[in-house]
């Protein structure tokens, strides 16, 4: 006869692994990954394609992502199971859009204005939509992309800007003495505003801490920049996949560098001014 001290698997009670206490992965909670010994404070807890994960930040500001698995962490030397924190109660005051503007519940998109905003490429357009999309729909502003700045003079001529038909343009790497700067000077006028950010690519406008990297690496001149970034970060050399990863880390204006925030706000103001 089987002893009552044993379960169906015949494991003695004193040898069975007891479930670890569950602890909510609240921001700033300091834990240690049981498998690697990596110690850090909780930055965020989120759902991914592989399941729920927690991002830890060590004392040097570096981020690493770990799966939320049973008995996966140590808290003050005790084995624990991190779980998603309870949803926070709605904050008092008006809701905000990703850009920080006051949200307008139930607002319908305005009929598109004749004025437009142009950005250099698809990634720029997706980033602008990610943060300012709600604002742009309420204002009736359409964002299009150029696929490079070389054809900007011809595009401006074809657009035929004038009173009530303004054109705002966001250019990458707009620095004095560059080709981009010379082209911008040719087309800027009372109904055309060209602004830019100093980055080689709009990827760099996303804060490294939001992406979970220590910083954007330097890539030697002559090497394809996006591919070079992937190599130096240890990512697969797949720029489209890398961009999806970067874009997914952007939740609001807080994830972007102020050098981009100010320029986009400036363009929105310019193309929505009366007359």
């Amino acid at each position: 006869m089987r002893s009552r001290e044993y379960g169906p698997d015949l494991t003695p009670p004193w040898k069975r692994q007891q479930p670890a206490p569950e602890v909510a992965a609240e921001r700033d909670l300091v834990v240690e990954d049981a498998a690697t010994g990596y110690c850090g404070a909780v930055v965020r807890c989120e759902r991914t394609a592989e399941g729920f994960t927690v991002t830890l930040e060590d004392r040097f500001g570096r981020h690493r992502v770990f799966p939320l698995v049973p008995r996966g962490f140590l808290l003050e030397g005790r084995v624990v199971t991190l779980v998603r924190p309870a949803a926070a109660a709605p904050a008092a005051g008006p809701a905000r859009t990703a850009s920080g503007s006051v949200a307008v519940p139930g607002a319908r998109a305005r009929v598109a204005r004749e004025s437009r905003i142009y950005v250099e490429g698809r990634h720029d357009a997706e980033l602008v939509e990610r943060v300012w999309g709600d604002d742009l729909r309420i204002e009736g502003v359409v964002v299009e992309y150029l696929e490079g700045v070389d054809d900007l003079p011809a595009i401006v001529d074809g657009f035929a800007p004038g009173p009530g038909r303004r054109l705002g343009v966001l250019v990458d790497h707009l620095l004095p003495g560059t080709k981009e700067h010379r082209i911008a000077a040719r087309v800027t006028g009372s109904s055309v505003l060209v602004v830019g950010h100093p980055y080689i690519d709009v990827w760099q406008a996303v804060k490294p801490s939001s992406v979970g990297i220590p910083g954007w690496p330097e890539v030697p001149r002559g090497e394809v920049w996006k591919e070079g970034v992937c190599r130096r970060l240890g990512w697969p050399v797949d720029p489209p996949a890398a961009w999806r990863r970067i874009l997914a880390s952007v939740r609001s204006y807080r994830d972007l560098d102020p050098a981009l925030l100010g320029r986009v706000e400036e363009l929105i103001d310019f193309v929505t001014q009366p007359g």
Side-chain angles (χ1 to χ4, degrees):
M1 295 179 62
R2 190 178 349 181
S3 170
R4 294 182 181 179
E5 293 182 338
Y6 294 84
D9 60 358
L10 300 183
T11 303
W14 58 89
K15 289 187 177 181
R16 294 176 194 159
Q17 191 176 63
Q18 299 300 314
E22 294 186 348
V23 177
E26 301 285 357
R27 187 176 180 86
D28 296 330
L29 177 73
V30 177
V31 295
E32 178 183 340
D33 176 58
T36 65
Y38 184 93
C39 184
V42 173
V43 175
R44 58 179 170 268
C45 182
E46 59 191 341
R47 182 196 295 271
T48 69
E50 290 75 31
F52 286 98
T53 63
V54 62
T55 300
L56 302 183
E57 180 181 71
D58 68 11
R59 61 192 180 93
F60 301 106
R62 296 173 299 202
H63 288 197
R64 285 185 62 179
V65 180
F66 299 93
L68 286 183
V69 296
R71 304 178 62 86
F73 298 88
L74 301 177
L75 175 62
E76 298 178 349
R78 296 184 305 128
V79 176
V80 298
T81 296
L82 287 188
V83 296
R84 289 179 296 156
R96 298 281 174 173
T97 67
S99 71
S101 301
V102 175
V104 183
R108 300 181 64 181
R110 175 174 173 167
V111 175
R113 298 172 184 262
E114 290 189 65
S115 298
R116 292 285 188 275
I117 291 177
Y118 277 78
V119 296
E120 277 210 51
R122 182 171 61 84
H123 292 180
D124 306 69
E126 290 175 345
L127 189 59
V128 169
E129 164 62 26
R130 183 86 167 190
V131 176
W132 289 274
D134 291 338
D135 305 27
L136 293 170
R137 279 182 282 279
I138 290 176
E139 295 290 351
V141 176
V142 175
V143 175
E144 302 182 21
Y145 56 92
L146 304 169
E147 288 292 4
V149 74
D150 292 338
D151 295 330
L152 182 56
I155 290 173
V156 172
D157 287 342
F159 184 80
R165 185 176 171 81
R166 293 185 168 198
L167 182 61
V169 184
L170 178 68
V171 176
D172 296 343
H173 204 231
L174 188 62
L175 299 173
T178 61
K179 173 190 69 175
E180 291 83 359
H181 194 270
R182 292 191 294 271
I183 293 175
R186 288 174 54 190
V187 301
T188 298
S190 60
S191 298
V192 179
L193 174 64
V194 181
V195 300
H197 54 70
Y199 315 114
I200 295 173
D201 191 274
V202 77
W203 286 19
Q204 293 175 299
V206 181
K207 292 179 179 178
S209 58
S210 297
V211 183
I213 60 176
W216 291 107
E218 295 288 336
V219 178
R221 186 181 296 273
E223 183 177 355
V224 178
W225 188 83
K226 291 176 180 176
E227 295 180 0
V229 167
C230 293
R231 293 188 187 96
R232 286 160 180 80
L233 291 177
W235 296 353
V237 182
D238 185 349
W243 172 242
R244 290 192 295 271
R245 176 175 182 170
I246 295 165
L247 187 62
S249 71
V250 177
R251 292 167 180 77
S252 76
Y253 71 95
R254 295 184 180 87
D255 296 306
L256 301 184
D257 191 276
L260 178 67
L261 294 173
R263 302 293 74 75
V264 176
E265 297 285 353
E266 188 178 355
L267 290 178
I268 295 174
D269 290 344
F270 178 77
V271 300
T272 56
Q273 287 176 4

